[in-house]
Amino acid sequence: MAAPPNSTTFSGDVWAELRLADARDVPHIHRLTHQMAEFELLTDLFAATEELLTTTLFPSPTPPPFTSFTALILDLSPSPIVPDASSTIASRRLDLSASPLADPEAAAFASPRGGGRVTAGFVICFPNYSTFLSKPGLYVEDIFVRAPWRRRGLGRMMLSAVAGRAAELGMGRVEWCVLDWNKNAIDFYEGMGADVLPQWRICRLAGAALDKYKGSQEEAAGGKAA
């Protein structure tokens, strides 16, 4: 099958790197998040802006990785990537000799790191806490791989890297959510050893439902003083 017009074809050896993101990656994180919202049929909830992503994910000074909101970027390169001890979380080589890959968005997702790298996915995670275990953990808010790069073992690489870091830090568990209709994802997570817990439900206050509680602390304090 011919590659789509204006696409970039990757073949032979390709190198993948999962690395710490920085503010230069915000445009790609924003675009990837929107693609994820489209895939999950949740674009009506999408309100992210590049400005908000920059201020919330990359404050100054930036906390150490995995102690606050942590963004990881998945880059692919047609040439070997030399791991950087300050930013590389995981890396691996892919052999695409038998199945070359056409990426129609390669130009739009050119990595700010240069060198012909292409950004193909991202992870957002942050610490949580289990009183049952009396240990901190990591919550994976988002894990996403662009369509052309799926089913190449990259999602497993990303989630394994996060789980590995949690284990190395002595954390008790890693948690995330999955949509109940996404059977492929559920099967994938179970295949990695995760328990899917149908007895739990997500409870959420957001938007107007959250805003109506503004000032409730002052009211409670005033009532207590009275």
Side-chain angles (χ1 to χ4, degrees):
M1 181 181 295
N6 302 319
S7 68
T8 298
T9 299
F10 293 82
S11 60
D13 289 338
V14 175
W15 284 263
E17 179 188 42
L18 184 66
R19 59 172 174 81
L20 293 173
D22 59 40
R24 294 174 294 173
D25 296 299
V26 164
H28 288 345
I29 293 173
H30 185 259
R31 184 179 286 115
L32 288 166
T33 305
H34 190 267
Q35 287 192 359
M36 183 174 61
E38 290 178 325
F39 174 78
E40 295 178 343
L41 308 177
L42 295 173
T43 52
D44 57 311
L45 301 179
F46 182 82
T49 67
E50 291 186 18
E51 180 180 6
L52 282 173
L53 288 169
T54 300
T55 57
T56 53
L57 290 178
F58 306 106
S60 182
T62 302
F66 304 103
T67 64
S68 183
F69 306 122
T70 300
L72 307 176
I73 286 290
L74 175 67
D75 277 349
L76 280 300
S77 173
S79 56
I81 295 175
V82 178
D84 183 337
S86 66
S87 63
T88 301
I89 303 300
S91 60
R92 61 168 292 199
R93 179 181 62 85
L94 281 70
D95 183 0
L96 302 182
S97 300
S99 55
L101 183 153
D103 186 348
E105 296 182 301
F109 279 98
S111 171
R113 299 296 176 97
R117 299 185 188 194
V118 172
T119 294
F122 79 118
V123 179
I124 303 289
C125 61
F126 53 85
N128 60 9
Y129 189 82
S130 167
T131 50
F132 284 11
L133 299 177
S134 298
K135 287 185 176 183
L138 282 178
Y139 185 82
V140 179
E141 175 68 20
D142 296 318
I143 180 169
F144 182 76
V145 177
R146 288 197 292 115
W149 294 97
R150 292 174 193 157
R151 301 187 182 280
R152 305 280 178 168
L154 296 171
R156 178 177 293 272
M157 168 190 167
M158 296 161 73
L159 189 55
S160 296
V162 172
R165 186 55 58 97
E168 290 165 6
L169 293 172
M171 294 179 167
R173 61 192 183 195
V174 177
E175 293 182 310
W176 62 95
C177 292
V178 61
L179 290 164
D180 59 3
W181 54 260
N182 195 345
K183 187 177 185 303
N184 287 338
I186 292 171
D187 290 345
F188 166 66
Y189 296 142
E190 289 182 331
M192 289 195 67
D195 292 323
V196 178
L197 307 174
Q199 69 270 35
W200 291 88
R201 295 291 184 269
I202 297 172
C203 300
R204 176 182 295 161
L205 284 171
L210 177 62
D211 288 343
K212 74 178 184 180
Y213 289 96
K214 286 180 180 178
S216 60
Q217 291 173 305
E218 288 79 0
E219 291 174 7
K224 184 175 181 180

